[in-house]
Amino acid sequence: MSTENELRDTVILGSGCAGLTAAIYAARSNLKPLVLEGHEPGGQLAITTLVENFPGWPEGVQGPELIENMKKQAVRFGAELRMAHLSKADLTTSPFQLKIGHETILTRTLIIASGASARWLGLPSEQALIGFGVSSCATCDGFFASGKEIAVIGGGDSAMEEALFLTRFASKVTLINRSEHFRASRIMLERAIAHPQIELLHNTVVEECLGVEGKELRGIKLFNKKTGEHSMLPVSFMFLGIGHTPNARAFEGQLDLDADGYIKTQENVFVSILGKRIPGVYACGDVQDRRYRQAITAAGTGCMAALEVERFLEEMGR
Ligand code: NDP
């Protein structure tokens, strides 16, 4: 167990694919990395089912199993995993200061692999029914929607992809977009429009999720912003496909973020403030990648971040 104000060679924020890959590499370099697992241990893979595109698994691998194996591999080489999350960081000091509850950890280097989290509508009735018909993960929960009428919220590619995927299970999918126009790419939108099981609604917002709290969703209350009409759509499942939010808020004002809050990186993993690199701090995985967002690309940048840490510490004479 660590003491207060301990000094680390490297701390890794996040325990998804990027963070754990960084941990494996850093641990193998004998840096004894501390991994703060964060609010969503294991990241998005931990709530996924079958991953079929991770190289080396010809039959696919369950997301939680893949993550568990990565954890074991990191721990085997000396990584320390802690169920904790960052409340505040100060990157202006040397070493950097990380606040975890009442504790302060000092570290010579930092790897930010805090990922991105699925967005929710934020309705209290939605929050009360998460896991009981309300889901942000079609791949995890689609199977439970077998033979049911369901709704997918969103108008981007994620929503299209979820809606198309869910037609394998659901008898009918109503795709609900709050705007007049869909943000999705043309090819995805055309596929959804052409699908006989998918119905598309425009200008429509969800006002409330109706159901028995802690039990099941029975329907959703809708409002058409154009016609002013209120209606009720009986569905057993509502899937959110309204994008992701990068978990980088703790670094607002300390790192360059893009308009949507993703950490801007140079040469894959180098972070900056006002365009100037911050030596010793690196970002990897979905918190800095809005383009690819794959397990394998997250792992790739996690590896790069750890190699940069190694190089940086070596240059510091450690
Ligand atoms: P996007 O940001 O592209 O789209 C988000 C959608 O959700 C928009 O329609 C937006 O509506 C809607 N939305 C956001 N917040 C709310 C809210 N509170 N209530 C209701 N609706 C809301 O995110 P995606 O995740 O769809 O896509 C992200 C990126 O990933 C894109 O570049 C996309 O192309 C890519 N992607 C590619 C895929 C593929 O090629 N197979 C699959 C999935 C994603 P509004 O337009 O009104 O803001």
Side-chain angles (χ1 to χ4, degrees), residues 145-187:
S146 294
K148 308 231 160 83
E149 296 200 2
I150 66 160
V152 172
I153 317 300
D157 283 337
S158 293
M160 301 299 139
E161 198 171 66
E162 283 195 10
L164 289 160
F165 170 76
L166 287 163
T167 57
R168 296 188 204 173
F169 311 101
S171 55
K172 185 184 171 192
V173 179
T174 305
L175 189 52
I176 300 169
N177 183 31
R178 68 176 174 184
S179 307
E180 173 82 32
H181 300 287
F182 284 90
R183 207 190 282 202
S185 56
R186 202 167 159 168
I187 183 163

Side-chain angles (χ1 to χ4, degrees), residues 185-263:
S185 56
R186 202 167 159 168
I187 183 163
M188 297 287 278
L189 182 58
E190 279 173 1
R191 269 187 221 157
I193 291 171
H195 203 291
Q197 274 158 270
I198 299 180
E199 185 185 340
L200 293 90
L201 302 181
H202 304 249
N203 299 306
T204 304
V205 293
V206 178
E207 290 185 304
E208 196 184 343
C209 299
L210 307 166
V212 185
E213 192 172 322
K215 242 177 150 190
E216 61 186 326
L217 179 75
R218 298 239 171 104
I220 50 179
K221 232 163 122 180
L222 302 177
F223 175 64
N224 186 311
K225 295 193 289 180
K226 207 164 184 187
T227 63
E229 215 173 286
H230 295 272
S231 60
M232 208 288 264
L233 183 71
V235 287
S236 317
F237 273 88
M238 177 177 92
F239 288 92
L240 281 301
I242 60 174
H244 289 79
T245 305
N247 300 316
R249 276 188 110 168
F251 299 103
E252 264 172 33
Q254 299 200 66
L255 294 182
D256 291 331
L257 308 181
D258 74 8
D260 293 319
Y262 286 84
I263 296 177

